Amino acid sequence: MAWERVDTLLKNKVQLITYPDSLGGNLSILNQLLQTELSGLFTGVHILPPFPSSGDRGFAPLTYLEIDPAFGTWDDIRSIGEHTDVLVDLMVNHISQQSPYFQDFLLKGRASEYADLFLTLDKVWEDGNPVQADIDQMFLRREVPYSTFEIKETGQEEKVWTTFGKTTPSEQIDLDIRAAITQQLLRSFFENFKKNNVKMVRLDAVGYVIKKLGTSCFFVEPDIYLFLDWVKALADELEIELLPEVHAHYSIQYKLAEYGCWIYDFILPYRVLEALINRSGRELCQYLQNRPANQFTMLDCHDGIPVKPDLDGLIRTEEAQQLVDVCLERGANLSLILSDQHKSEDGFNVHQIRCTYYSALNEDDDAYLAARAIQFFVPGIPQVYYVGLLAGENDLVRVAETGEGREINRQNYTLEDIRSQLEKEVVQRLMKLIRFRNTHQAFQGEFSVLESSDDQVCLGWKQEHIQCRLTVNLGTYQSVVHYTDDSGQLAEYIV
């Protein structure tokens, strides 16, 4: 049964994405910044996992009922929620190996009251023995999708499903979302979010929740919709918006949009980068003609710029490889597809390009502002990652220190760092652009892709007699906005 689309509780204005400790060190300072130096910029903030976690920078949570004391308390979240819409993640697919639930299972095994929370392999294969031919069909995020543990009280081994994780055994233990106890636990998490002023929940890794033999175990239809129906009913009851996070073939995203979900526009970051590097807006403008409007737009995030499978069928791999090579020359590193079956026929296997967006554009201020202008003119709710807000450059030192490629775009800023970065001309220009996007009335009207040439992108918004039009010259990277000002006259703004 499809969801009925209702008016959103969210504001059609720019949002921030940040870790709880990346802007100033904790949630209290983030709260202050949103009301002082960053005032007027963001009506929403996606706070990447602030919960106690055993790995993956918050994405292996022990519980959602507590805030990690290193970041602050629920009082800080509630306080932020008084003036800025708060979005948090719920990893519906997994929970930490160090969680009290799995620790009890490790102690008692099947005698644990929490045993049914987890996907022991007998829930996938009847005899509990994995079959490699089945695994070969799956979209894998690690070479072996399960981990083996010894139960302390009995000495017996238990194999449980672990989709994610770089350690052996994994720190991220998959949940059995069909089990009543799992649904009860998820309800308790949602109720706690509601109590603490959380406006929206991102369903992280939701595409992996269904494990079914004979499939890729990724976004298994129609089973996935039964889970989405259940979680949507729960969220509606609590007046919480949902944002499913699914990196998949774009057709799946479009199905989610038709289903009534907010979705991420994971195609836009690549298309914008491609237009600016190749100085051709043909593919970008063609894409913008018919994309769903109920999307969150982004250019950068804590992971990377999506490529496969998000753009499968939309890109030619030889051209994509050329774009990837340019980013590598500018310091990027890559996340790769592991499963041979899910690589391109020619072997192209780039899952994500990991770098800051500013560095991907060769730290060219005009090119970067052109990218942001295009993002803000595309229909949807724009999100700006904190490193992107500050025009951060690739952190190659941190990558070398940790061996973790994603650290290239995850630097932490002290208050002194933040204030210094905010004074940079490119950041001042970006903040002016954000305020324009937040306040101009035309963005509440109708969008159109205006007549564009190969080296020019023209986008427009109009609400009755009020309009604004963006023209990006891909040859010079100059971005100009013509708009109706407060007196009703046509004015010009060079981004």
Side-chain angles (χ1 to χ4, degrees):
M1 180 181 70
W3 303 351
E4 291 183 8
R5 191 72 199 149
V6 296
D7 290 338
T8 180
L9 301 171
L10 302 173
K11 303 175 185 70
N12 178 22
K13 297 182 180 182
V14 183
Q15 296 190 352
L16 175 68
I17 308 171
T18 182
Y19 285 100
D21 58 338
S22 286
L23 291 176
N26 59 51
L27 291 166
S28 177
I29 293 174
L30 173 62
N31 189 14
Q32 293 171 31
L33 286 168
L34 288 169
Q35 298 177 84
T36 53
E37 282 93 339
L38 305 183
S39 177
L41 294 177
F42 305 109
T43 59
V45 56
H46 177 182
I47 302 174
L48 295 165
F51 316 108
S53 174
S54 60
D56 199 13
R57 193 154 181 185
F59 284 86
L62 276 66
T63 179
Y64 296 86
L65 302 178
E66 302 170 17
I67 300 296
D68 188 323
F71 305 143
T73 68
W74 279 113
D75 289 340
D76 295 312
I77 300 289
R78 280 197 302 275
S79 180
I80 293 171
E82 291 296 324
H83 55 80
T84 305
D85 291 343
V86 173
L87 188 163
V88 298
D89 295 272
L90 180 61
M91 276 56 80
V92 288
N93 180 72
H94 53 267
I95 202 160
S96 172
Q97 180 196 141
Q98 304 303 318
S99 68
Y101 321 108
F102 193 71
Q103 286 296 302
D104 194 75
F105 175 75
L106 274 184
L107 178 65
K108 304 172 185 174
R110 301 296 175 102
S112 168
E113 63 182 300
Y114 302 113
D116 207 31
L117 271 176
F118 309 108
L119 268 170
T120 50
L121 290 201
D122 57 296
K123 292 183 176 182
V124 182
W125 291 278
E126 191 171 341
D127 61 3
N129 294 316
V131 177
Q132 190 60 44
D134 293 326
I135 294 174
D136 289 342
Q137 296 184 57
M138 299 174 186
F139 185 78
L140 299 179
R141 297 305 303 273
R142 49 187 279 139
E143 290 184 4
V144 178
Y146 56 87
S147 295
T148 304
F149 296 90
E150 182 177 318
I151 303 304
K152 294 174 184 175
E153 287 189 352
T154 65
Q156 293 179 325
E157 283 190 347
E158 285 282 6
K159 289 184 173 66
V160 296
W161 205 267
T162 50
T163 298
F164 297 94
K166 293 193 172 183
T167 61
T168 302
S170 174
E171 274 297 318
Q172 293 158 299
I173 311 298
D174 283 38
L175 297 168
D176 181 359
I177 53 92
R178 299 167 302 178
I181 188 173
T182 307
Q183 295 180 10
Q184 292 166 9
L185 188 66
L186 293 177
R187 170 174 279 277
S188 72
F189 295 154
F190 267 93
E191 289 174 345
N192 189 57
F193 292 155
K194 174 65 175 179
K195 184 174 69 175
N196 288 290
N197 272 354
V198 171
K199 183 67 66 72
M200 189 168 199
V201 171
R202 185 176 84 144
L203 300 177
D204 186 80
V206 67
Y208 297 91
V209 297
I210 306 296
K211 282 76 174 178
K212 189 173 184 180
L213 295 184
T215 75
S216 67
C217 291
F218 179 80
F219 208 86
V220 178
E221 300 177 272
D223 311 55
I224 186 72
Y225 296 114
L226 298 177
F227 175 73
L228 288 171
D229 281 340
W230 175 82
V231 75
K232 179 65 165 57
L234 172 59
D236 283 350
E237 176 188 330
L238 299 171
E239 296 184 301
I240 290 175
E241 293 271 359
L242 292 179
L243 177 59
E245 185 257 355
V246 180
H247 282 286
H249 189 275
Y250 69 94
S251 61
I252 290 179
Q253 294 278 27
Y254 287 9
K255 286 180 183 179
L256 282 170
E258 292 172 5
Y259 199 65
C261 294
W262 281 103
I263 61 172
Y264 276 110
D265 189 341
F266 286 138
I267 298 171
L268 186 67
Y270 181 96
R271 283 295 185 218
V272 171
L273 189 64
E274 173 189 57
L276 291 163
I277 288 179
N278 295 340
R279 298 182 189 266
S280 170
R282 185 177 61 255
E283 301 286 356
L284 172 64
C285 290
Q286 183 177 338
Y287 166 62
L288 295 180
Q289 295 281 1
N290 53 20
R291 62 184 282 283
N294 53 315
Q295 303 198 55
F296 275 63
T297 69
M298 40 79 80
L299 296 179
D300 44 2
C301 68
H302 63 288
D303 282 335
I305 299 167
V307 184
K308 284 185 66 65
D310 303 84
L311 284 101
D312 282 350
L314 296 177
I315 54 175
R316 290 173 286 276
T317 55
E318 62 274 13
E319 294 174 1
Q321 186 62 59
Q322 291 172 7
L323 191 72
V324 167
D325 289 343
V326 170
C327 293
L328 290 173
E329 290 170 7
R330 296 173 179 178
N333 63 76
L334 306 175
S335 169
L336 302 176
I337 299 288
L338 294 178
S339 309
D340 288 338
Q341 187 170 334
H342 297 282
K343 298 175 184 177
S344 298
E345 289 184 7
D346 60 3
F348 183 74
N349 62 346
V350 178
H351 177 50
Q352 294 178 343
I353 305 167
R354 299 192 291 214
C355 59
T356 76
Y357 215 83
Y358 186 58
S359 289
L361 290 169
N362 213 27
E363 294 154 22
D364 182 312
D365 290 1
D366 289 338
Y368 183 62
L369 269 296
R372 289 297 177 189
I374 293 169
Q375 179 198 3
F376 295 163
F377 266 73
V378 170
I381 296 180
Q383 291 187 317
V384 176
Y385 186 57
Y386 74 100
V387 179
L389 170 67
L390 301 177
E393 300 171 8
N394 287 338
D395 191 346
L396 303 179
V397 172
R398 183 67 179 159
V399 173
E401 287 175 348
T402 63
E404 169 55 74
R406 292 177 297 179
E407 289 295 311
I408 198 168
N409 195 25
R410 294 182 173 187
Q411 47 266 62
N412 287 343
Y413 294 91
T414 65
L415 267 177
E416 183 180 355
D417 294 333
I418 295 164
R419 287 165 179 156
S420 175
Q421 291 293 109
L422 290 176
E423 292 302 314
K424 291 174 62 175
E425 181 186 358
V426 62
V427 178
Q428 287 286 314
R429 291 167 64 190
L430 176 56
M431 292 194 295
K432 180 180 178 181
L433 181 61
I434 291 172
R435 290 191 171 97
F436 180 83
R437 171 61 175 80
N438 284 342
T439 57
H440 200 273
Q441 189 176 334
F443 290 104
Q444 308 306 318
E446 296 294 322
F447 168 78
S448 59
V449 178
L450 304 175
E451 185 174 348
S452 303
S453 60
D454 191 49
D455 62 352
Q456 186 172 271
V457 174
C458 298
L459 309 175
W461 285 87
K462 188 173 183 179
Q463 186 182 53
E464 297 178 350
H465 65 283
I466 297 172
Q467 61 181 309
C468 62
R469 182 176 76 252
L470 169 70
T471 303
V472 176
N473 184 319
L474 297 173
T476 64
Y477 293 144
Q478 185 181 66
S479 304
V480 181
V481 176
H482 292 93
Y483 65 99
T484 307
D485 65 17
D486 291 342
S487 64
Q489 302 300 308
L490 195 63
E492 181 181 274
Y493 159 37
I494 299 176
V495 175

